[in-house]
Amino acid sequence: MTGSRSLSSGLRALRPAAFGADPSGERLARIRRSPHFADGVFVNPEGTRIRPSGNSTLELAKVFFRKDSRARRVPTSTVPVHPTTYADLAKPPASGLRLTWMGHSSVLAEIDGHRVLFDPVWGERCSPFDFVGPRRLHPVPLPLAALGPVDVVVISHDHYDHLDLPTIKALAGTDTVFAIPLGVGAHLEHWGVSADRLRELDWHESTKVGGITLTATPARHFCGRGLRNAQHTLWASWSVAGDRHRIYHSGDTGYFDGFKDIGAEHGPFDATMIQIGAYSEFWPDIHMTPEEGMRAHLDLQGGRPHGVMLPIHWGTFNLAPHAWAEPGEWTKAAADAVGQAVALPVPGRPFEPAGDLPTRAWWRDAALPLNRKWPVPEITPVASREGLDLVGEG
């Protein structure tokens, strides 16, 4: 037994710090009490395939390494980035709501006098190692230290492109609060964040930070950082409500009917941040296409165009077989088809959803042209109590 314990301790010592830590003690007991935990794992709101199966793994490898598709999966020239400065963020937003997309799923939201930082990834690679793994296709728009104080950091789940060890270690030295899904606190404590700064939530649970309410809402995805991926940490989307504004961050998710319920309970939203990149036919249940992302936005808004959609989870890392510029092109086409306002800022450019929106297709300056017809949501006029409104199907 002593030899076995020594071997186990030695293996733990060799485990990369970026793998984080497994939940234990009261945290693990709370996980086991969750209504969304069954048979030893967290479960999705709908049946979900999280990995390619059978021969599809070989087919994926063929597609991923095909020479013609490789050229389209990365930009052909320098990706434009707005060099966010202190002056950009020093003056409070006139409308009370301002969003700054830093790339991928990282967004600084200034809402009703509070600063919320979603899924901050400032590291060079989304990987447990600094010498291998998907590398940035553009630099971060500003150093993390130049961002200024943040009231709350929100994490959607524990994958490397959303929960970044170097970034969390830098934020551990501040006094910011972390709003996180159930189980993710084990990683953060392992990396030096004190337990009293963690607000660890199950789906449908809320916490208040100053004058805003943050609610963990369902998503259709999965978790895991280490070799075993025991599904002992939850994934979530997030609703944030202030005195005047409401916003939503999807995290990573496949499309599911639950968006309608989230919208009915927490919406409508002034702005949504919706995942529209890193999708594939090989994993259709865990990431949305831009068409599905637009349908999700409409569901969240009660079935009709409302507010502003900010597409996220694209442009920064090469994580799927589709062309680098495809999410931007497809989202723009989907928005035009349903008459939905969409913000298309270069990384780092702040904008107010109530003001002039950035809508230029900037990615075309750094990509091979894509000439195809994009599948888009259909809209159908239906009767409502106020009269006839345009309402999204699905």
Side-chain angles (χ1 to χ4, degrees):
M1 287 295 290
T2 303
S4 177
R5 283 197 300 269
S6 298
L7 177 60
S8 177
S9 298
L11 290 174
R12 280 197 300 271
L14 293 174
R15 175 176 169 145
F19 278 12
D22 296 324
S24 60
E26 176 51 33
R27 177 174 283 117
L28 183 57
R30 187 181 168 204
I31 288 169
R32 288 170 173 162
R33 294 194 299 268
S34 169
H36 311 109
F37 192 80
D39 299 324
V41 297
F42 279 110
V43 294
N44 274 296
E46 297 178 11
T48 301
R49 188 184 72 186
I50 64 175
R51 291 181 183 85
S53 58
N55 293 333
S56 63
T57 301
L58 178 59
E59 292 303 312
L60 170 61
K62 290 178 180 178
V63 171
F64 210 86
F65 292 105
R66 201 166 57 211
K67 185 176 181 180
D68 60 331
S69 66
R70 283 206 313 268
R72 291 186 176 273
R73 290 206 309 272
V74 295
T76 57
S77 60
T78 302
V79 176
V81 173
H82 177 83
T84 316
T85 65
Y86 178 77
D88 290 324
L89 304 175
K91 187 177 180 179
S95 65
L97 177 63
R98 180 167 59 205
L99 302 179
T100 308
W101 179 50
M102 300 296 178
H104 203 56
S105 294
S106 303
V107 182
L108 174 67
E110 298 166 275
I111 173 171
D112 298 339
H114 298 78
R115 306 179 93 227
V116 182
L117 184 59
F118 291 96
D119 283 356
V121 174
W122 258 251
E124 184 65 18
R125 297 182 186 271
C126 49
S127 167
F129 309 105
D130 60 8
F131 56 88
V132 69
R135 192 171 192 171
R136 284 186 165 276
L137 301 174
H138 66 80
V140 290
L142 82 169
L144 188 62
L147 194 63
V150 173
D151 296 293
V152 55
V153 173
V154 176
I155 303 296
S156 64
H157 63 296
D158 71 356
H159 286 159
Y160 289 97
D161 57 325
H162 296 260
L163 181 63
D164 178 54
L165 172 59
T167 305
I168 297 301
K169 279 188 168 290
L171 291 167
T174 70
D175 59 1
T176 188
V177 170
F178 290 81
I180 52 178
L182 191 56
V184 174
H187 298 314
L188 270 59
E189 284 193 59
H190 185 63
W191 297 334
V193 180
S194 59
D196 62 347
R197 290 164 53 198
L198 303 180
R199 309 287 178 86
E200 202 162 346
L201 307 181
D202 203 344
W203 289 343
H204 309 298
E205 292 182 343
S206 299
T207 187
K208 290 207 73 170
V209 177
I212 58 173
T213 300
L214 303 102
T215 304
T217 46
R220 192 181 182 202
H221 200 55
F222 68 111
C223 66
R225 294 180 73 85
L227 299 176
R228 291 185 296 119
N229 290 340
Q231 303 300 299
H232 277 175
T233 68
L234 188 58
W235 47 95
S237 58
W238 289 87
S239 164
V240 179
D243 294 334
R244 296 171 51 204
H245 296 94
R246 292 173 178 266
I247 58 177
Y248 172 85
H249 189 284
S250 71
D252 277 4
T253 181
Y255 180 80
F256 70 116
D257 284 341
F259 291 117
K260 299 184 182 76
D261 298 329
I262 294 170
E265 185 170 356
H266 302 284
F269 298 97
D270 298 282
T272 67
M273 295 154 272
I274 303 290
Q275 172 263 306
I276 52 86
Y279 48 84
S280 172
E281 62 183 311
F282 295 105
W283 52 82
D285 300 335
I286 57 170
H287 283 165
M288 294 188 290
T289 67
E291 179 197 6
E292 291 170 323
M294 184 56 65
R295 282 197 278 137
H297 172 88
L298 295 173
D299 288 351
L300 290 161
Q301 306 291 32
R304 60 183 178 183
H306 178 79
V308 173
M309 174 182 163
L310 170 65
I312 60 171
H313 203 266
W314 75 289
T316 303
F317 299 105
N318 178 7
L319 301 175
H322 62 68
W324 173 75
E326 184 174 299
E329 292 289 350
W330 195 350
T331 299
K332 188 172 176 61
D336 290 345
V338 299
Q340 172 59 52
V342 63
L344 301 168
V346 299
R349 179 182 171 184
F351 71 93
E352 298 190 33
D356 292 333
L357 298 179
T359 58
R360 179 178 175 271
W362 54 267
W363 55 87
R364 292 176 184 168
D365 298 338
L368 297 171
L370 298 172
N371 299 311
R372 58 168 288 193
K373 185 175 177 62
W374 305 103
V376 296
E378 296 180 2
I379 55 174
T380 306
V382 299
S384 73
R385 283 174 295 191
E386 290 83 17
L388 288 177
D389 291 324
L390 285 179
V391 186
E393 289 184 347

